[in-house]
Amino acid sequence: MNKILDKIDSPKQLKQLSLIQLNKLAGEIRELIIRTIAENGGHLAPSLGVVELTLALHTVFDCPEDKFIWDVGHQSYVHKILTGRRDAFSTIRTQGGLSGFPKRSESPYDSFGTGHSSTSISAALGMAIARDLSKKNNYVVAVIGDGSMTGGQAFEALNHAGDLGKHLIVILNDNEMSIDKNVGALSEYLSTMRTAPTYNKVKHDLEFLLKKIPTIGESVAKVVERLKDSLRFLLVPGELFEELGFKYVGPIDGHNIELMREVLEKAKTMQGPILIHTLTRKGKGYLPAECESDKFHGVGPFCIETGEIIKKTTNKPTYTSVFSKVLIELAEENKNIVAITAAMPEGTGLKKFGEIYPDRFLDVGIAEQHAVTVAAGLACEGKQPIVALYSTFAQRAYDQILHDVCLQKLPVVFALDRAGIVGEDGPTHHGVFDYSYLRHIPNLTIMAPKDENELKDMLATAFSLRTPVVIRYPRGNGLGVEVKTEYQHIPVGMSEEILIGSDVMFLAVGAMVDSCVEAVNLLKEKNVSAGVINARFIKPLDERMIEVLAKTVKYIVTIEDNMLAGGFGSAVLEALNEREFCDTKVLRLGYPDKFIEQGKRENLLELYKLTPAHIAARTYAFIRNIEVR
């Protein structure tokens, strides 16, 4: 059977389709997305929820002349399929394939690159201002989810856009979810609006009733039509957006293509900023994703027939699960511990903590800055907060970490999950910058565990210090070491000798320690005596150990799962320079000064020559002064 989708190579072809064909096309798109994500993994539920909305956008507007900005961007799969990337869609999130997010270098249809939340309205406003300065007449549309609306930047942009009065269309895609269930007063406000009768339905019902009035009904109905803007103010609880300067329309069914097109066409003729509130269902069209949209938000490969996630068989616990278990144990002993996350209770391992200690758990929504300063306030009053974030999202709270926590030397612990290379989500999500953007902040201790046991000890140590502490650990499984029962507090700034060598010493940190141990065995086959030091602390450094190494071996190799620029290796070089150990030769291994592309972790480590075999080969070439390929 010929599929409509097979004939769609650009959005302009959609304008020739009937409503029946568009609805059939929606089903075909869902089928392609489900089939592809079952193979590759990816953001399934968000994409399934915006199929009709995306079709409506592309039939009403003329992209790329008209600009679409997808907030976060995990719901952009439909947009990619409709904009000339259908045949390449099977490569999404694979190395060298399509990005899982909008990417300007990938297609002219991707107006703005995204990956983090709450940026779309700001970017759209900038484009609208540029359009008016250039005296163009194209449309600018931002699509933002209700979860992203909890981010402060979204409201900064709404406030500015309402004040400027530029013609701008914001589509609030309301599915009651970000990744986990949305929280907060805004969520409650939108919930109230969802249950209110829609503007279009009330208007239709009222007109129907008025026209039934003998003699005067038609005339009154016409008057009401002329007064529809006033009617909207009376019938729709969108005062918040109206007060910010937006014309509010909705809530409307985001899965009704005909209605969406009608509303979008009307929005084109309106003046100033407009907010269209659409209601969609995350995961629509695939029952497992509809029932468990959080599970299928970002999902690995799965069985289409059953919805069962295909997991690699392993007895090794993830670092996240170890963190979760240990924190619950510590909180049982220490009643002052309060755990905070930003819309990621499941991903950061805090969901179970929240179930056991609901009064000591805070999910602040997608608001990392707020999460950190709330923690600072808690710390001022004697509590011991821990803020669990993905490394890539902690970047968004840099000023709060520096100014609100470290400047005041407040005892806040930061648990940075997904540190280092995270895989298929690509450059927006790799946690390879945290050593560099954190180590220069005064009063901050930074640790990275080599295995699950050390993570446990570091958590206990962090709460004992009563100062700002960061613990960063990677995504995925640990090494499978047996996690001991007792805690061992680690002296601040003290490294650990793993193996001693006479020719070269590896000074490694975090997940790279084990790779260095493997590299030592490979070097032994080449008659090179190598050793390994587990640095444990990025700040403060074990300067005593660095001095000992400089006096006993000629070669030091630093290795980190971070950018080389300003990272751990740079700190070691600074320490050697300050002590005038200029004869010590240092090789720094890590990531170069570029954004790291998407791909499986093992493939990226191979690409950037950070596997044990590459570490051994590069070290051998370094000490023998030969060129390595």
Side-chain angles (χ1 to χ4, degrees):
M1 182 186 296
N2 291 331
K3 290 186 175 182
I4 299 172
L5 182 57
D6 292 340
K7 302 174 184 177
I8 303 299
D9 296 310
S10 81
K12 288 181 171 55
Q13 294 170 291
L14 298 174
K15 297 177 186 292
Q16 310 303 318
L17 301 181
S18 67
L19 182 61
I20 292 174
Q21 289 174 313
L22 286 171
N23 281 308
K24 183 175 185 298
L25 177 60
E28 294 175 4
I29 291 170
R30 282 195 171 90
E31 180 184 328
L32 174 60
I33 291 174
I34 293 167
R35 187 172 67 247
T36 303
I37 304 310
E39 182 73 23
N40 294 1
H43 290 98
L44 181 67
S47 292
L48 295 180
V50 296
V51 176
E52 290 83 6
L53 189 157
T54 309
L55 285 168
L57 280 170
H58 277 295
T59 55
V60 170
F61 295 98
D62 295 310
C63 189
E65 290 79 12
D66 295 328
K67 310 299 179 186
F68 298 163
I69 301 94
W70 302 91
D71 206 282
V72 183
H74 52 230
Q75 76 280 49
S76 65
Y77 292 5
V78 185
H79 168 78
K80 287 176 182 275
I81 291 168
L82 296 174
T83 53
R85 288 168 277 183
R86 177 199 62 227
D87 292 342
F89 190 68
S90 62
T91 70
I92 197 161
R93 300 178 79 251
T94 62
Q95 193 167 351
L98 293 181
S99 169
F101 300 93
K103 190 175 183 179
R104 282 170 56 84
S105 61
E106 183 179 288
S107 170
Y109 289 96
D110 291 355
S111 302
F112 192 75
T114 50
H116 291 182
S117 77
S118 313
T119 63
S120 61
I121 305 174
S122 297
L125 178 58
M127 291 180 186
I129 294 169
R131 172 201 63 204
D132 293 350
L133 287 171
S134 301
K135 300 190 180 339
K136 295 180 179 179
N137 59 2
N138 59 289
Y139 299 98
V140 181
V141 183
V143 183
I144 182 168
D146 51 312
S148 291
M149 273 293 207
T150 61
Q153 186 178 351
F155 278 87
E156 293 173 21
L158 287 172
N159 179 59
H160 190 203
D163 180 59
L164 291 182
K166 299 289 184 183
H167 188 219
L168 166 71
I169 299 170
V170 175
I171 296 178
L172 172 55
N173 175 36
D174 182 1
N175 56 31
E176 304 184 60
M177 297 285 288
S178 48
I179 297 175
D180 289 284
K181 188 74 174 174
N182 282 331
V183 296
L186 179 64
S187 177
E188 291 297 321
Y189 177 73
L190 292 177
S191 178
T192 300
M193 295 167 72
R194 287 181 209 111
T195 59
T198 68
Y199 163 60
N200 289 282
K201 182 179 187 302
V202 173
K203 176 175 173 289
H204 177 270
D205 292 349
L206 187 57
E207 286 177 348
F208 177 80
L209 291 171
L210 289 172
K211 287 176 181 178
K212 292 294 185 181
I213 301 174
T215 312
I216 64 168
E218 285 288 344
S219 299
V220 173
K222 288 178 181 178
V223 171
V224 168
E225 174 64 24
R226 289 195 297 271
L227 295 176
K228 61 186 176 182
D229 284 341
S230 298
L231 180 65
R232 173 170 47 81
F233 278 106
L234 293 172
L235 296 176
V236 179
E239 294 90 348
L240 172 62
F241 302 110
E242 296 281 354
E243 290 296 329
L244 286 170
F246 277 73
K247 294 182 178 70
Y248 172 88
V249 179
I252 62 173
D253 182 1
H255 297 299
N256 185 325
I257 297 176
E258 184 177 25
L259 177 58
M260 281 296 304
R261 290 170 66 179
E262 177 188 331
V263 170
L264 291 171
E265 289 286 2
K266 181 64 178 174
K268 290 168 69 173
T269 67
M270 297 167 72
Q271 301 299 311
I274 301 123
L275 187 137
I276 301 171
H277 183 183
T278 66
L279 305 182
T280 61
R281 184 170 182 82
K282 205 170 180 182
K284 183 174 174 61
Y286 182 58
L287 188 59
E290 288 189 32
C291 296
E292 295 183 278
S293 59
D294 55 342
K295 176 180 173 181
F296 284 90
H297 174 87
V299 67
F302 62 94
C303 174
I304 295 175
E305 289 74 19
T306 65
E308 183 179 354
I309 310 299
I310 300 170
K311 294 183 178 180
K312 295 180 180 178
T313 304
T314 178
N315 293 322
K316 300 175 182 178
T318 64
Y319 281 98
T320 305
S321 65
V322 173
F323 164 76
S324 174
K325 184 174 183 295
V326 173
L327 185 63
I328 289 169
E329 292 172 0
L330 289 169
E332 185 178 2
E333 302 168 8
N334 184 347
K335 306 303 180 186
N336 284 323
I337 290 177
V338 179
I340 303 169
T341 190
M344 300 288 286
E346 184 72 51
T348 59
L350 289 184
K351 186 172 183 178
K352 190 171 182 181
F353 183 100
E355 293 168 355
I356 297 172
Y357 306 113
D359 294 340
R360 291 193 277 155
F361 170 69
L362 301 174
D363 181 355
V364 302
I366 305 180
E368 291 85 3
Q369 293 172 296
H370 173 60
V372 173
T373 306
V374 162
L378 282 161
C380 284
E381 297 303 307
K383 301 304 176 185
Q384 292 189 266
I386 181 165
V387 182
L389 302 169
Y390 287 3
S391 172
T392 185
F393 299 140
Q395 295 161 190
R396 297 163 67 88
Y398 170 80
D399 181 64
Q400 286 68 33
I401 295 171
L402 186 154
H403 183 275
D404 296 341
V405 174
C406 293
L407 179 60
Q408 303 183 85
K409 207 172 182 179
L410 294 172
V412 177
V413 177
F414 297 93
L416 301 191
D417 202 330
R418 286 7 180 224
I421 290 293
V422 298
E424 293 83 352
D425 279 339
T428 59
H429 282 60
H430 291 314
V432 295
F433 302 101
D434 49 51
Y435 292 163
S436 304
Y437 72 75
L438 291 172
R439 77 172 184 87
H440 59 259
I441 300 178
N443 297 331
L444 185 61
T445 298
I446 308 171
M447 298 185 270
K450 73 177 188 298
D451 58 29
E452 304 93 307
N453 255 330
E454 204 160 60
L455 174 58
K456 179 171 184 171
D457 290 341
M458 285 182 175
L459 273 168
T461 301
F463 283 112
S464 72
L465 295 180
R466 305 293 293 169
T467 58
V469 178
V470 167
I471 306 171
R472 64 99 82 170
Y473 44 93
R475 178 183 187 179
N477 301 102
L479 302 182
V481 302
E482 185 178 351
V483 179
K484 60 188 185 234
T485 305
E486 300 300 318
Y487 302 93
Q488 180 179 337
H489 286 242
I490 303 171
V492 174
M494 181 173 286
S495 59
E496 176 191 33
E497 293 182 0
I498 304 291
L499 296 167
I500 300 300
S502 57
D503 296 322
V504 60
M505 290 294 294
F506 289 110
L507 194 50
V509 64
M512 306 311 294
V513 173
D514 188 60
S515 296
C516 288
V517 172
E518 291 186 49
V520 166
N521 295 325
L522 295 172
L523 286 167
K524 192 180 297 182
E525 297 171 5
K526 297 186 176 185
N527 297 316
V528 174
S529 174
V532 179
I533 301 295
N534 169 25
R536 297 199 289 204
F537 290 86
I538 295 83
K539 185 176 183 177
L541 287 174
D542 188 345
E543 296 183 357
R544 180 198 61 81
M545 176 60 74
I546 292 172
E547 185 171 334
V548 169
L549 294 181
K551 290 177 178 178
T552 55
V553 295
K554 187 177 179 181
Y555 302 101
I556 295 175
V557 177
T558 68
I559 182 161
E560 60 195 294
D561 196 10
N562 190 81
M563 305 298 287
L564 287 172
F568 171 68
S570 295
V572 173
L573 283 179
E574 291 166 12
L576 287 168
N577 183 65
E578 287 173 3
R579 283 154 185 77
E580 299 183 352
F581 288 110
C582 300
D583 293 334
T584 305
K585 298 186 182 301
V586 179
L587 172 66
R588 295 182 304 137
L589 301 182
Y591 300 109
D593 187 20
K594 61 178 289 187
F595 288 105
I596 310 302
E597 57 267 52
Q598 67 200 32
K600 293 184 182 300
R601 177 177 169 83
E602 56 268 29
N603 293 344
L604 293 175
L605 290 173
E606 179 74 30
L607 177 65
Y608 289 100
K609 296 181 170 56
L610 292 174
T611 63
H614 280 301
I615 292 168
R618 294 172 75 180
T619 300
Y620 185 79
F622 172 60
I623 65 176
R624 295 290 187 257
N625 197 26
I626 59 177
E627 186 176 348
V628 64
R629 294 181 181 179

